[in-house]
Amino acid sequence: TGSGSTCSIGSPCSTVAVGVSKLAPGDKLIIGGGTYDEAIIDTVPSGSSPASPTTIISATGETVIIRPISSSFHSIFNFSGAFDNILLDGLIIDGAGLTRNDLNLVNVENGALRITVQNSILKNSNGDCFGAHSVNSGGWLVKNNIFVDCGTFNFSTVPGLGAGHPIYVSNPGIIEGNEIYSTVSVYGFGIHIYGGDSAAGAVIVRNNYIHNFGGQGSILVGAGTGSWAYNNVIINATNYGIQFEFGSCYSCSATNNTVVGSSLAAIYVRSASNLQIKNNLLIGNGTPIDDTTGATASSNFCDGAGFGCTEIGAALFTDPNNGDFTLQATSPAINCGVDVGLPSNGLPDCGAF
């Protein structure tokens, strides 16, 4: 933060918006620590290439909070139109000051491509925290972020408005390595792959940790061809762990996920075609797998008998009371899986690894 006009290290700008206005394709804007009352709406130039994105990043070791206290728009960062190869890195994007029910902290739509959000915290949104909503956008990456208290608006009180979600997408991309949880009442899904705009294409959901999320479910796969949820850990979901419903998912898969303590089904299937459910570790849920579509379910490890439960027993987690759901060396879930195309040293374990 500064009062300079050149936006250099020696003469920093006073606002993020001024800094963005100085960027050329492929440039990097380094933001100093502070809280910034502003929104960046369709002004970041596209990067030069996937290897040279235009980057907005926090300065090393400094805390950067983007928290507008008022906005006439529905986003804090908006990319609508011909935006490509843009990276947001290491930011805290906070919607606490905004009251719009259709809020998206980061919004990607109408042809925007290859937008990456990583190493950031997105929190306090009545609506979505990350949304990629239109059919002609894609290639986005949401990686190694923390999502807290997204989707807090009670949509049932206003006809015509849907619930918000931490991550809500309807086009191809990757959701990887994120932590998602809620400390207040939320109403949507932790990750919602939506097919209302069109088939989503392949969305990869992997290596995420979703815990104590109080919405409708943790992961909803409602669309896509070849979408794949794997290596996710889902703990204490209020309703379902992984859900295939409200759309049509073709040749999709749920493999090597650990789902513990969902009040309803760990994996719930009502609309999917050629779905594969394998190598999952399903413990302490209302029921392991609830399917009415004829999905292929096998080589799953459960703590009780059920559809698709090939192995039954105690999982022997390392330290579940302190959030460690890795397996003890003597766990019967080790080497209980089958080859589904993921890296493994010999037979794969059941559950996330």
Side-chain angles (χ1 to χ4, degrees), residues 192-277:
H192 188 175
I193 304 170
Y194 173 64
D197 296 325
S198 182
V203 178
I204 304 302
V205 182
R206 63 191 179 199
N207 309 332
N208 299 285
Y209 177 39
I210 306 175
H211 61 96
N212 304 103
F213 183 76
Q216 298 176 63
S218 293
I219 299 174
L220 171 65
V221 184
T225 299
S227 290
W228 191 3
Y230 68 88
N231 209 38
N232 301 286
V233 177
I234 300 171
I235 307 300
N236 296 333
T238 298
N239 291 309
Y240 301 109
I242 303 174
Q243 191 169 346
F244 294 86
E245 194 178 18
F246 307 125
S248 297
C249 192
Y250 301 96
S251 297
C252 296
S253 301
T255 63
N256 288 97
N257 300 286
T258 296
V259 185
V260 177
S262 299
S263 62
L264 300 177
I267 300 177
Y268 181 83
V269 187
R270 287 298 179 271
S271 55
S273 177
N274 193 31
L275 176 65
Q276 304 290 311
I277 304 172

Side-chain angles (χ1 to χ4, degrees), residues 104-276:
N104 299 305
L105 300 189
V106 178
N107 185 58
V108 179
E109 63 183 1
N110 296 329
L113 299 170
R114 288 174 286 271
I115 307 298
T116 295
V117 182
Q118 67 182 27
N119 306 321
S120 296
I121 299 173
L122 294 85
K123 63 181 183 177
N124 300 322
S125 177
N126 286 344
D128 305 329
C129 276
F130 176 88
H133 295 149
S134 57
V135 298
N136 54 350
S137 294
W140 42 265
L141 172 64
V142 180
K143 183 176 181 179
N144 296 342
N145 304 287
I146 298 174
F147 292 83
V148 187
D149 296 339
C150 305
T152 59
F153 171 68
N154 186 350
F155 68 100
S156 66
T157 63
V158 180
L161 283 180
H165 317 273
I167 301 173
Y168 185 32
V169 299
S170 61
N171 42 58
I174 297 174
I175 302 166
E176 177 178 0
N178 303 284
E179 180 180 7
I180 300 173
Y181 65 96
S182 58
T183 66
V184 299
S185 295
V186 294
Y187 298 91
F189 296 89
I191 297 170
H192 188 175
I193 304 170
Y194 173 64
D197 296 325
S198 182
V203 178
I204 304 302
V205 182
R206 63 191 179 199
N207 309 332
N208 299 285
Y209 177 39
I210 306 175
H211 61 96
N212 304 103
F213 183 76
Q216 298 176 63
S218 293
I219 299 174
L220 171 65
V221 184
T225 299
S227 290
W228 191 3
Y230 68 88
N231 209 38
N232 301 286
V233 177
I234 300 171
I235 307 300
N236 296 333
T238 298
N239 291 309
Y240 301 109
I242 303 174
Q243 191 169 346
F244 294 86
E245 194 178 18
F246 307 125
S248 297
C249 192
Y250 301 96
S251 297
C252 296
S253 301
T255 63
N256 288 97
N257 300 286
T258 296
V259 185
V260 177
S262 299
S263 62
L264 300 177
I267 300 177
Y268 181 83
V269 187
R270 287 298 179 271
S271 55
S273 177
N274 193 31
L275 176 65
Q276 304 290 311

